[in-house]
Amino acid sequence: MKRIFSAIYLLIFTLITCSATSQSLFRTSKCYDLLASVQYFDELKEQPQFSTLAEDSVFLQSLKIVNGNTRASNLCNLYSLYGNDKNEVDSCINFISNMPGNIPEEEQSSSWIKNILNIKPQLLLITKSLVRAGFSDYWNTSVAPKLNDRIASYYSHIPNGTIETINSEMSAFANPEQLSETKTNIYILDIANAFNLLDETFCCTPLLLDPELEKQYHLDFLKVYIHENLHRLNISPELMERLNGLLADNFYKENEQIATAHNEGKNEAFVVAAEVFLSNKLGRREDKSVFEEFSEYVDGSLVLAPIIYVHLGERLPTETYNDYLLRLFDNGTISVGNVEKEYNAAMYELKSRIE
């Protein structure tokens, strides 16, 4: 009865909220949870249907091998890039069974992918065993209701019309480029941590769907929502070529190496600058937050972001964001030998706004 009530409540709330927004803020994924359960089996084994696996020496040995060579974030990453249905466990099993044929040959030499391919037999044994033991039904009846209850509770703290306003502002920012229908990439999983995936997906524990914990950990999911959706802005090959040419600038190259070590860099500065601009406009970031974001995010290595941000007032109404960025390269604002000077000037201006 409790599950039925929770499901009805979530359905009603979602219909009310999403009638104006077309999409929920969060998603869930049975497949991601299946892959993550390899790392979190100690919690899963407490459930009756999985207790026999906790006594299976072959299963436990396979578990040890897999967890000694990869992490849940890597498994989810691989599936996000090359897998299919994120809510059908058979799709996940088939993906593992068909490795490496379903992964581009040029990517198979990446160390993190190679580590997963080397443990394919053990990974396949584990996931098949979990599915045979009833993982799908367990997720449907125990995990999904818990996650959906947390999501519904979080939504209740968002003022009516907030997401609609955000979507409208993102469309206005993109104009004259037309964004596709809003699609979020924030997955709430049955895990105890959070991690980013390479397809611009953010995976997170339901524990942080508590407004107080969200404040404590300085995590604003609406900013994450804005950030992930802004990755849908077009970035042309010409712009990426200009960006790659900046590696001849020592200051930029040094910081780009730091960003790369965090699995960031490249066009991430474009998105961060746009998110901070929109969040500031929407009142979700004050001037102090703007300065701190550029100083601290990815160790402050996205040095183009503050330059782009302080010049956004110069963007022409007829320019797409991509065209505006190209113009910054064309007029020398962003150029080899000039990045450090422009970065320091931008940060000085931003700091002066809070003093």
Side-chain angles (χ1 to χ4, degrees):
M1 181 64 70
K2 182 179 179 182
R3 293 194 190 103
I4 294 174
F5 176 81
S6 297
I8 293 174
Y9 173 80
L10 179 64
L11 176 61
I12 293 173
F13 190 91
T14 302
L15 287 173
I16 292 172
T17 304
C18 294
S19 60
T21 64
S22 300
Q23 283 283 350
S24 300
L25 178 60
F26 302 106
R27 297 179 179 184
T28 58
S29 168
K30 187 186 297 185
C31 291
Y32 283 161
D33 273 320
L34 172 63
L35 293 170
S37 68
V38 177
Q39 184 176 329
Y40 291 97
F41 183 72
D42 279 348
E43 287 78 17
L44 197 64
K45 70 181 181 183
E46 302 301 323
Q47 305 301 320
Q49 57 267 63
F50 304 113
S51 59
T52 55
L53 292 178
E55 300 173 356
D56 184 329
S57 60
V58 175
F59 177 88
L60 293 177
Q61 181 60 24
S62 295
L63 199 68
K64 182 178 179 180
I65 292 172
V66 171
N67 286 329
N69 286 274
T70 192
R71 306 286 292 173
S73 57
N74 289 330
L75 295 175
C76 291
N77 245 321
L78 192 64
Y79 193 72
S80 74
L81 294 174
Y82 308 115
N84 294 310
D85 196 314
K86 293 181 175 60
N87 286 297
E88 290 293 336
V89 293
D90 287 345
S91 177
C92 187
I93 298 298
N94 289 337
F95 173 77
I96 298 171
S97 298
N98 293 326
M99 294 191 310
N102 45 14
I103 301 170
E105 189 172 349
E106 63 271 17
E107 298 297 329
Q108 294 175 23
S109 60
S110 298
S111 59
W112 70 277
I113 293 180
K114 187 184 298 183
N115 286 343
I116 295 175
L117 295 178
N118 288 339
I119 55 171
K120 171 185 172 178
Q122 293 83 4
L123 180 60
L124 190 58
L125 183 148
I126 293 168
T127 49
K128 279 186 172 181
S129 297
L130 289 169
V131 171
R132 282 197 298 266
F135 182 87
S136 185
D137 288 341
Y138 163 73
W139 191 90
N140 290 339
T141 58
S142 298
V143 177
K146 176 180 67 175
L147 299 181
N148 287 335
D149 281 346
R150 289 278 191 149
I151 291 170
S153 177
Y154 183 85
Y155 277 138
S156 68
H157 293 276
I158 302 176
N160 290 337
T162 299
I163 300 177
E164 183 180 21
T165 299
I166 290 173
N167 288 341
S168 176
E169 288 292 345
M170 285 194 293
S171 294
F173 181 86
N175 191 57
E177 178 185 344
Q178 297 294 312
L179 291 178
S180 59
E181 184 180 352
T182 301
K183 295 181 180 180
T184 63
N185 288 300
I186 307 174
Y187 282 86
I188 304 302
L189 305 184
D190 191 26
I191 58 178
N193 64 345
F195 50 79
N196 287 305
L197 302 184
L198 295 174
D199 69 340
E200 310 304 342
T201 290
F202 182 74
C203 297
C204 183
T205 171
L207 297 175
L208 288 180
L209 291 187
D210 177 328
E212 293 306 313
L213 284 175
E214 188 185 30
K215 291 176 185 176
Q216 180 181 336
Y217 287 96
H218 305 288
L219 181 61
D220 182 336
F221 282 111
L222 291 180
K223 291 175 189 169
V224 175
Y225 175 78
I226 294 169
H227 180 105
E228 300 303 347
N229 277 285
L230 286 172
H231 271 284
R232 294 182 293 134
L233 289 165
N234 175 59
I235 301 297
S236 67
E238 181 185 1
L239 179 55
M240 290 305 298
E241 185 178 347
R242 302 283 190 90
L243 187 63
N244 291 334
L246 275 187
L247 291 173
D249 183 287
N250 291 333
F251 178 73
Y252 174 80
K253 181 179 181 180
E254 178 182 332
N255 281 282
E256 183 68 2
Q257 289 171 341
I258 296 172
T260 301
H262 287 276
N263 293 317
E264 294 290 1
K266 296 187 177 179
N267 66 318
E268 185 70 9
F270 302 159
V271 177
V272 169
E275 179 274 306
V276 173
F277 178 83
L278 274 177
S279 292
N280 178 257
K281 183 178 180 181
L282 289 161
R284 304 205 69 83
R285 287 190 187 278
E286 70 285 358
D287 289 336
K288 182 180 179 183
S289 173
V290 170
F291 180 79
E292 289 176 345
E293 181 72 0
F294 292 140
S295 300
E296 300 172 5
Y297 184 66
V298 198
D299 293 337
S301 60
L302 302 180
V303 293
L304 298 186
I307 301 172
I308 295 165
Y309 177 87
V310 298
H311 287 281
L312 264 167
E314 303 166 14
R315 181 182 168 190
L316 304 176
T318 56
E319 283 183 317
T320 65
Y321 189 49
N322 184 81
D323 291 340
Y324 158 73
L325 293 171
L326 279 172
R327 187 159 60 84
L328 292 184
F329 280 88
D330 289 339
N331 65 21
T333 300
I334 299 176
S335 59
V336 174
N338 197 40
V339 177
E340 185 172 12
K341 175 186 173 184
E342 288 290 336
Y343 168 79
N344 288 334
M347 293 299 284
Y348 179 84
E349 178 180 336
L350 294 173
K351 189 175 183 180
S352 68
R353 296 178 187 180
I354 59 178
E355 293 181 340

